[in-house]
Amino acid sequence: MSNLVKAAALAAFLLTGATAASAHGCIKGAIVGGVAGHFAHHPLLGAAAGCVIGHHMAHHHATVAPAPAPAHH
């Protein structure tokens, strides 16, 4: 399992260019994708796909405005 985590971290590192600003969601997605890919016998492919999807979702959540709080009377 530790090799899987190492592979996921390596994929995340390579795909983000090792900058903290562009890693939003990538690390978490790479770990989840690596675990899922492990069961499909493709952990690096899963980690890479998870990184891309995690980064996309983090960007999406950052750009969506939060719902306004209800007014209290």
Side-chain angles (χ1 to χ4, degrees):
M1 182 78 169
S2 69
N3 286 338
L4 177 63
V5 173
K6 289 177 188 176
L10 178 62
F13 177 80
L14 293 174
L15 290 172
T16 61
T19 61
S22 65
H24 295 290
C26 183
I27 304 297
K28 186 185 217 179
I31 292 171
V32 171
V35 170
H38 171 74
F39 291 109
H41 305 291
H42 296 287
L44 290 178
L45 184 61
C51 176
V52 170
I53 293 168
H55 182 74
H56 171 74
M57 293 305 293
H59 177 72
H60 175 73
H61 287 294
T63 57
V64 174
H72 293 279
H73 294 291

